[in-house]
Amino acid sequence: MQKRLTLGFFFILFLGTTFLPIVWMFGNSVYEEGKFSFVYYKDIFLTQKYGKVISNSLILASLTTILSSLFGVPAGFFLSKTNLPLKKLFKICFFIPLIIPSYITGIAWVNLLGKTGFLNNVFSQYTMLSSESVSDFIYSTYGASFILSMNLFPVVMLVTEYALKSVNPRLEESGLVVGSVFQVFRQITLPLIAPAILSGMMIVFVLSLSEFGVPSLLQVNVLTTQIFTQFSAFYNEKAATAIAFPLIVITFILIMLEKIYMRGKSFEMLGRTSSISTTQYNITWLNVVGITFCTFVLLVCVIIPLSTLIFNTKTISAYHDAILLARNGITNSILFGSIGATFLTLIGFFLGYLSENIRSKLRSSIAAFIWIFFAVPATVSGIGLIKLWNRPESACQFIYSSLWIVILGYVIRFLPLSSRIMTNYLKQIPHAMEDAGTVTGASWFRILGKILLPLQGYGLIATWLISFMFCIGELGTTILVYPPGHETLPIALFTVMANSPTDVVSALSIIIVVMTLLPVGVFLVVSKYLVLKPKLGLQ
């Protein structure tokens, strides 16, 4: 009974914080002057009014997915199948673009390829490209795809690397007896890992389709920026909601197509233990190609953007000015991020347990239902929170006018992610551990406190740090819901961009990068400590 009531409470909490605002918003969009009306949806589906916007969104997502795959699949192959020198360093560095907010990378490349950018001047002087054409590229759908692919290629890289390590090495070794490396990869390895690669590509497509920061920075007219414009400029939340509907439909169709494609496949992308050994291609020319490719990706995706931001700051005084301008935003980001990460970890643990340990036919459906909300655009989540909680002369107004509306924004955005992380960690605990506690007659709360939580110490720390990192960089939801005086660091950055020098903007961008990368450093240190502690205890 304790178990059912607790899990039921947290699932209802998930419905109230994540599901209800979105349903409320869509329900309100079809109710006009006391009766049902689909006038805003007719503009979407029965006219050409938003045809260009929808096509821009699809082009952006498609190009980002293709470019991310061109970077991610080879990177995953070289990291898992070759003996590259500095392999661990490459892998750690390739995580950086995924960790830092995408609009930070966008600011760096705008500084490089904008009208006064260094690379723009180089291209215009030494190539046939004009300064205007280079600038027009970066401020376009193609430029946005280029920037987003740098941030999202690690997703494809990770699933490719994991899939390659999960392939039975005997299959590849048998193929190498009669064929070349290319033949084995094309005819044996690639068909086996194709489901994982397609799943990674789908994740990239959905994330880029719902991206707000980069299109907003580059002034690209896509669905997410149109949603923000309709709501913030024209105060038409019903039109904004209707514009969000194609995003939800496209995401749902993709998930259904993936389920149909994966049905009957023997490959499992999540929860599968990797093979004890992996076939390694110790070929000199392949290692040379791998080093060249990984170095190029490292330069384009990590070194050049970060170096540009550091170089543009020029003086220490730029950091001083940036801190003075965004002092309130820095404090709020640390406070809000800490509170949000705590709630995300707590609720995510119980939702992860519900998704993994409940022995029911509905288990996979519950996990998919929770995960689908991660694809909801940030701007849609923000509008949903406003429609649900902005109620003058009611108790809800206290929440809407305080920091708690920002915390709710973090929860609605990242609760599916934190629950998925906890699900993967909970997979590592055998069911027999909990069953043993039940046999002794212990209550579920006692099992929770004495067995499950202690065994999940590493997972809880990882989930908290990852949640904090994402909360620090969140923009799309927060920019809609934050009350006066509660702006966060990303909002402060977008505010100072309009009327501050480039060096101050770059300095503030570096501060955000440090604040997002710092939890990763803490996580690595804690991980090393938790691994070494048992060994030291045995000595």
Side-chain angles (χ1 to χ4, degrees):
M1 182 61 69
Q2 292 177 343
K3 183 177 181 179
R4 290 184 178 180
L5 288 176
T6 303
L7 296 179
F9 168 78
F10 280 99
F11 187 70
I12 291 172
L13 189 61
F14 163 75
L15 293 178
T17 56
T18 305
F19 177 70
L20 183 58
I22 296 171
V23 172
W24 193 285
M25 177 185 64
F26 278 104
N28 185 68
S29 69
V30 296
Y31 197 72
E32 185 81 13
E33 297 179 354
K35 61 181 180 180
F36 286 103
S37 173
F38 295 91
V39 60
Y40 298 106
Y41 292 87
K42 291 178 181 178
D43 285 344
I44 301 292
F45 296 103
L46 300 181
T47 70
Q48 298 295 321
K49 186 176 180 179
Y50 293 101
K52 181 64 175 178
V53 178
I54 295 174
S55 65
N56 284 344
S57 295
L58 293 174
I59 291 171
L60 173 66
S62 301
L63 288 177
T64 302
T65 304
I66 293 170
L67 290 174
S68 298
S69 302
L70 291 177
F71 283 159
V73 174
F77 173 83
F78 289 124
L79 291 177
S80 63
K81 290 295 187 179
T82 62
N83 296 315
L84 293 181
L86 304 176
K87 182 187 292 188
K88 289 185 178 179
L89 178 63
F90 277 124
K91 188 172 183 179
I92 292 173
C93 290
F94 287 163
F95 270 102
I96 294 176
L98 184 63
I99 294 168
I100 64 177
S102 57
Y103 51 82
I104 298 296
T105 306
I107 291 172
W109 280 100
V110 166
N111 289 340
L112 281 170
L113 297 177
K115 289 184 178 180
T116 60
F118 171 74
L119 284 182
N120 190 324
N121 293 330
V122 171
F123 288 143
S124 60
Q125 288 181 15
Y126 298 102
T127 68
M128 298 180 64
L129 297 173
S130 65
S131 177
E132 289 75 15
S133 63
V134 176
S135 179
D136 289 344
F137 165 77
I138 199 64
Y139 284 98
S140 69
T141 306
Y142 305 104
S145 301
F146 170 69
I147 292 169
L148 281 176
S149 64
M150 283 185 262
N151 280 87
L152 296 176
F153 89 89
V155 174
V156 181
M157 181 196 75
L158 288 172
V159 296
T160 301
E161 182 189 9
Y162 181 84
L164 286 168
K165 289 182 178 179
S166 299
V167 172
N168 190 335
R170 295 180 181 178
L171 297 174
E172 295 175 307
E173 290 167 0
S174 300
L176 289 172
V177 173
V178 296
S180 65
V181 172
F182 283 117
Q183 289 176 315
V184 171
F185 184 79
R186 182 171 59 85
Q187 298 179 9
I188 298 177
T189 309
L190 188 58
L192 289 173
I193 66 173
I197 294 175
L198 289 175
S199 295
M201 292 173 67
M202 189 203 75
I203 293 172
V204 170
F205 187 94
V206 170
L207 290 177
S208 53
L209 192 68
S210 61
E211 170 68 21
F212 169 74
V214 171
S216 175
L217 174 70
L218 302 179
Q219 302 172 20
V220 177
N221 191 18
V222 293
L223 286 169
T224 51
T225 56
Q226 190 65 227
I227 293 168
F228 181 80
T229 301
Q230 286 290 338
F231 184 79
S232 61
F234 301 111
Y235 304 103
N236 192 342
E237 77 278 357
K238 296 184 179 181
T241 304
I243 296 170
F245 191 71
L247 292 173
I248 306 297
V249 171
I250 293 170
T251 301
F252 181 77
I253 291 173
L254 285 173
I255 292 176
M256 291 298 102
L257 289 175
E258 185 200 23
K259 289 180 70 68
I260 293 171
Y261 177 78
M262 296 289 284
R263 187 178 300 161
K265 302 288 183 182
S266 59
F267 182 87
E268 296 179 12
M269 192 180 86
L270 295 173
R272 178 178 176 179
T273 303
S274 299
S275 304
I276 297 175
S277 61
T278 302
T279 302
Q280 295 286 312
Y281 300 131
N282 192 15
I283 305 172
T284 302
W285 68 265
L286 198 58
N287 287 333
V288 172
V289 173
I291 281 287
T292 305
F293 179 82
C294 290
T295 303
F296 170 76
V297 174
L298 183 63
L299 282 170
V300 173
C301 300
V302 182
I303 295 177
I304 291 178
L306 294 183
S307 299
T308 301
L309 294 174
I310 294 172
F311 177 78
N312 282 342
T313 54
K314 299 177 183 177
T315 61
I316 299 298
S317 62
Y319 290 98
H320 179 263
D321 294 340
I323 292 173
L324 287 179
L325 285 171
R327 181 170 49 193
N328 193 38
I330 295 172
T331 304
N332 286 340
S333 288
I334 295 173
L335 175 62
F336 298 173
S338 301
I339 298 173
T342 303
F343 276 98
L344 287 167
T345 303
L346 175 65
I347 305 173
F349 173 83
F350 288 101
L351 288 181
Y353 183 93
L354 182 66
S355 301
E356 175 59 24
N357 286 38
I358 293 298
R359 299 170 187 178
S360 168
K361 294 180 180 180
L362 296 176
R363 187 176 69 177
S364 60
S365 299
I366 291 174
F369 175 72
I370 295 173
W371 180 241
I372 194 174
F373 286 94
F374 187 58
V376 175
T379 46
V380 175
S381 302
I383 295 172
L385 287 173
I386 292 171
K387 292 303 299 179
L388 183 62
W389 295 101
N390 185 17
R391 300 184 176 280
E393 302 178 358
S394 72
C396 298
Q397 194 62 25
F398 164 74
I399 294 176
Y400 182 73
S401 59
S402 67
L403 66 88
W404 294 109
I405 192 66
V406 179
I407 305 302
L408 283 172
Y410 293 156
V411 170
I412 194 174
R413 284 287 293 130
F414 303 122
L415 186 55
L417 177 64
S418 66
S419 67
R420 174 57 67 94
I421 295 171
M422 287 307 313
T423 298
N424 289 334
Y425 278 105
L426 285 165
K427 289 177 184 290
Q428 301 172 14
I429 300 180
H431 292 293
M433 301 288 288
E434 185 177 348
D435 294 339
T438 304
V439 170
T440 62
S443 66
W444 189 71
F445 285 149
R446 186 172 179 81
I447 294 172
L448 187 68
K450 296 293 185 180
I451 298 177
L452 297 179
L453 290 177
L455 288 174
Q456 277 303 302
Y458 185 83
L460 291 170
I461 293 172
T463 304
W464 192 94
L465 290 171
I466 293 171
S467 298
F468 178 81
M469 177 184 68
F470 276 96
C471 290
I472 287 290
E474 208 288 321
L475 173 67
T477 300
T478 312
I479 200 172
L480 286 173
V481 303
Y482 79 97
H486 293 79
E487 67 274 7
T488 58
L489 190 52
I491 294 171
L493 173 63
F494 266 66
T495 301
V496 303
M497 281 177 61
N499 48 24
S500 296
T502 303
D503 59 342
V504 175
V505 175
S506 297
L508 198 54
S509 300
I510 290 294
I511 293 172
I512 295 178
V513 170
V514 171
M515 290 181 65
T516 51
L517 291 182
L518 189 60
V520 180
V522 173
F523 176 67
L524 292 176
V525 172
V526 170
S527 301
K528 188 174 182 180
Y529 173 75
L530 291 176
V531 171
L532 290 177
K533 187 177 179 180
K535 294 181 180 180
L536 294 173
L538 293 173
Q539 295 178 353

